[in-house]
Amino acid sequence: KNGAKIISVDPRFTRTSTKADIYAPMRSGTDIAFLGGMIRWAIKKWEDTSGAEGINQKYVEDCTNALFIVKQPADPNPGFETCRDSDHQGNFSDKTTWDYDYDTDYPATPPIKRPKKALNLNDLTCVFQKLKEQYSIYTPEMVEKICGTPATLFEQICETYIGGTYADDKAGTMLYAMGWTQHTVGTQNIRAASILQ
């Protein structure tokens, strides 16, 4: 009644799909690539419009860790690695492979570890730029190759969902069930959806 669009992304054409404004088929188990493509699309839209569209920049800067600076390889820890680093072992559960760069000049008793913040989202050492690097390969064409969803349909979904929800006075909701949460990579599915939102 208020003009919301319903998007159904599902390997099966369900009763929900019949009521949706947009239905997108996808291969089962390729949710992370699909969501990764949407994350990439939002970041690219933000860059292409000089910060005017794609993401809610104020929210991202003020309410997330996007501006936190990640330790660099010259520091004692080896620094953040993406899955495409040639020497990456593929184990993202080992939290000793990365950490934030902490401000040691923050006076407090007891001492507080406060991550340093970048001045803006374009700082190559901040979490946002690492996120951008991680999802950079998920172009609409790559999403089509992995998920089977046609690239033009995928772009329509991105424009509808992201284009309609990034502004302060807009909102989007993702509804999911056990297909995401009880999958072998359920935690990563939910994390990717949370990043997108």
Side-chain angles (χ1 to χ4, degrees):
K1 290 180 180 178
N2 293 326
K5 300 291 182 195
I6 297 175
I7 303 168
S8 174
V9 181
D10 199 312
R12 305 161 300 135
F13 188 79
T14 64
R15 285 191 294 172
T16 302
S17 304
T18 67
K19 302 291 186 189
D21 296 286
I22 304 170
Y23 166 69
M26 67 177 299
R27 291 186 186 101
S28 183
T30 62
D31 310 273
I32 293 172
F34 195 95
L35 293 166
M38 292 182 77
I39 292 167
R40 179 199 172 272
W41 194 93
I43 293 171
K44 185 166 181 353
K45 183 78 165 184
W46 174 76
E47 289 179 326
D48 291 349
T49 62
S50 300
E53 297 178 25
I55 67 170
N56 186 320
Q57 185 171 338
K58 181 169 176 32
Y59 174 83
V60 169
E61 289 177 344
D62 293 347
C63 302
T64 75
N65 67 346
L67 285 176
F68 290 6
I69 295 175
V70 176
K71 272 191 189 263
Q72 300 307 300
D75 292 326
N77 289 339
F80 180 83
E81 300 172 349
T82 70
C83 61
R84 288 184 304 285
D85 288 336
S86 59
D87 57 346
H88 194 315
Q89 301 301 312
N91 180 4
F92 286 103
S93 62
D94 180 5
K95 294 180 182 167
T96 63
T97 63
W98 72 275
D99 199 357
Y100 300 124
D101 192 5
Y102 292 100
D103 187 352
T104 56
D105 298 328
Y106 187 70
T109 305
I112 297 172
K113 285 180 77 173
R114 189 178 86 174
K116 291 181 181 177
K117 281 189 169 184
L119 295 177
N120 59 57
L121 296 174
N122 294 314
D123 186 321
L124 295 178
T125 64
C126 75
V127 169
F128 184 79
Q129 288 296 319
K130 303 299 182 184
L131 179 78
K132 175 185 166 185
E133 179 187 352
Q134 178 71 20
Y135 289 106
S136 64
I137 63 167
Y138 294 109
T139 63
E141 294 75 26
M142 181 62 80
V143 170
E144 180 173 6
K145 183 177 178 181
I146 295 169
C147 303
T149 308
T152 53
L153 179 58
F154 174 75
E155 288 181 311
Q156 180 187 2
I157 289 168
C158 290
E159 184 61 48
T160 302
Y161 184 81
I162 297 163
T165 63
Y166 71 86
D168 283 341
D169 62 339
K170 300 293 180 184
T173 300
M174 289 187 185
L175 302 174
Y176 55 87
M178 291 182 272
W180 270 6
T181 59
Q182 294 186 357
H183 196 279
T184 55
V185 291
T187 303
Q188 292 92 328
N189 285 337
I190 303 308
R191 181 159 173 75
S194 298
I195 290 169
L196 177 60
Q197 286 201 293

